[in-house]
């Protein structure tokens, strides 16, 4: 049966995959709202420390299953360290920006991460990016400028923190692509340990003794994040990525909703417009990459089978 038939698109596994993705996105949004609430009282160092402790407790069984030796002595340890450092900066910048900016603002800038990945892939990974995707990248950058506001100077340094964090997020995704064979438990363990170390160094500066309730919330940050990651990963395992990944952009909807309901935030019109441009650019880039990936696979299969007719229906790999 053709994989693009209506039946396959609405198969139970696909619907379940969409459900897992939506649940994962919702949990990430809840995690972000919790972080926004906590940074009003506690330092970024405290949040990094306590959420990382909880996250390591959750990930420990998976590390044990993968093998402690493999996790502690991975291939390319230098790049693992750089990736973990980038991950720590990304999370730290995220919570730092949240202490100054509305939740929707920070999330909008972070949604630009996949757009940066496309641009950086051409430079770092030497991937060929055609003019269609470069056009989408430029549109995404334009969306970031629109989201910053009509007067860039009025955005202030907190917005620059969020932009820097989204750039670190892009570098994290690039390094994750390079280290994909390391195993998920290894990648998560290293980046969580790095955040724990950074938190241990920074937490004593301005330490605020948390109440029992807040201590539970601080620990819950790490647990909710791990569960959200698990939901997203399960979604990608049971459903086509081209179907479920665009649902990740509903993060901005939850960010606006939680910002308005929980924190009384009112998003600017320019922010909403910028978020729409960034989302459209990101979804287009992803779907285009999926199409090119399918085209490359089909072209290779046709060449192997010696069926030239199959190549004729394949789009050019680098438009």
């Amino acid at each position: 049966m053709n994989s693009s038939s209506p039946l396959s698109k609405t198969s139970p596994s696909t619907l379940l995959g969409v459900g897992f993705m939506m649940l994962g996105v919702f949990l990430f949004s809840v995690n972000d709202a919790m972080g926004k609430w906590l940074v009003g009282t506690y330092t970024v160092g405290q949040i990094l420390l306590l959420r990382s402790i909880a996250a390591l407790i959750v990930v420990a069984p998976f590390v044990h299953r993968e093998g402690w030796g493999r996790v502690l002595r991975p291939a390319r340890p230098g790049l693992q360290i750089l990736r973990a450092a980038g991950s720590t900066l990304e999370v730290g910048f995220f919570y730092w920006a949240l202490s100054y900016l509305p939740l929707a603002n920070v999330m909008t800038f972070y949604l630009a991460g996949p757009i940066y990945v496309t641009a950086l892939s051409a430079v770092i990974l030497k991937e060929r990016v055609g003019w269609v995707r470069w056009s989408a990248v430029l549109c995404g950058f334009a969306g970031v400028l629109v989201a910053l506001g009509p007067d860039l100077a009025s955005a202030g340094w907190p917005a620059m923190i969020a932009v820097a964090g989204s750039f670190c997020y892009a570098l994290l995704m690039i390094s994750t692509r390079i280290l994909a064979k390391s195993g998920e438990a290894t990648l998560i363990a290293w980046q969580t340990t790095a955040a724990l170390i950074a938190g241990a160094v920074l937490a004593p500066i301005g330490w605020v003794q948390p109440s029992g309730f807040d201590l539970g919330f601080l620990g819950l940050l790490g647990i909710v994040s791990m569960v959200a990651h698990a939901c997203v990963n399960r979604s990608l395992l049971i459903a086509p990525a081209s179907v479920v990944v665009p649902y990740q952009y509903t993060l901005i909807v939850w960010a606006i909703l939680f910002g308005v309901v929980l924190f009384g935030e009112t998003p600017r019109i320019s922010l909403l417009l910028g978020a729409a441009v960034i989302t459209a650019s990101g979804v287009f880039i992803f779907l285009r990459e999926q199409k090119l990936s399918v085209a490359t696979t089909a072209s290779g299969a046709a060449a192997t089978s010696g069926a030239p007719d199959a190549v004729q229906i394949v789009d050019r790999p680098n438009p």
Side-chain angles (χ1 to χ4, degrees), residues 34-308:
M34 291 167 58
K36 172 68 175 175
W37 181 67
L38 289 168
V39 293
T41 304
Y42 303 101
T43 66
V44 173
Q46 281 183 268
I47 293 176
L48 285 176
L49 175 65
L50 296 173
R51 79 185 287 272
S52 298
I53 292 174
L56 280 177
I57 293 174
V58 173
V59 80
F62 300 97
V63 172
H64 180 74
R65 185 175 64 181
E66 189 163 316
W68 289 94
R70 179 180 178 184
V71 171
L72 295 176
R73 295 187 298 274
R76 310 183 73 174
L79 187 56
Q80 290 281 0
I81 293 173
L82 288 176
R83 178 186 176 278
S87 173
T88 301
L89 286 173
E90 176 259 317
V91 175
F93 282 150
F94 181 81
Y95 288 120
W96 191 12
L98 277 181
S99 63
Y100 296 100
L101 296 174
L103 182 59
N105 293 47
V106 179
M107 187 54 62
T108 296
F109 296 128
Y110 268 73
L111 287 179
I115 296 171
Y116 302 153
V117 169
T118 301
L120 290 172
S121 294
V123 178
I124 299 176
L125 301 181
K126 306 301 180 183
E127 294 182 356
R128 295 184 62 188
V129 178
W131 69 269
V132 172
R133 281 183 288 170
W134 275 123
S135 300
V137 168
L138 292 177
C139 287
F141 284 135
V144 172
L145 295 178
V146 171
L148 284 170
D151 182 4
L152 295 183
S154 67
W157 60 270
M160 295 302 102
I161 295 173
V163 172
S166 67
F167 188 77
C168 290
Y169 176 63
L171 292 175
L172 171 64
M173 288 192 286
I174 290 286
S175 58
T176 300
R177 185 179 299 179
I178 298 173
L179 296 170
K181 296 182 180 180
S182 297
E184 186 177 5
T186 299
L187 296 176
I188 293 177
W190 276 71
Q191 69 186 66
T192 306
T193 301
L196 176 66
I197 294 172
V201 173
L202 297 174
I205 304 174
W207 176 271
V208 177
Q209 184 60 39
S211 65
F213 179 80
D214 287 358
L215 186 63
F217 251 61
L218 286 163
L220 196 59
L221 276 179
I223 297 174
V224 172
S225 179
M226 290 296 101
V227 175
H229 276 294
C231 288
V232 171
N233 291 340
R234 175 58 57 180
S235 170
L236 293 170
L237 284 174
I238 64 177
S242 59
V243 174
V244 299
V245 167
Y247 284 93
Q248 290 184 348
Y249 286 91
T250 58
L251 276 167
I252 188 60
V253 177
W254 288 113
I256 294 172
L257 180 62
F258 286 150
V260 171
V261 174
L262 300 179
F263 306 107
E265 301 168 349
T266 302
R268 294 178 285 104
I269 298 299
S270 59
L271 177 81
L272 297 177
L273 180 59
V277 173
I278 292 170
T279 298
S281 301
V283 171
F284 177 84
I285 289 171
F286 173 78
L287 294 178
R288 187 64 182 173
E289 288 175 347
Q290 288 286 302
K291 182 178 180 181
L292 296 177
S293 177
V294 171
T296 302
T297 302
S299 178
T304 302
S305 63

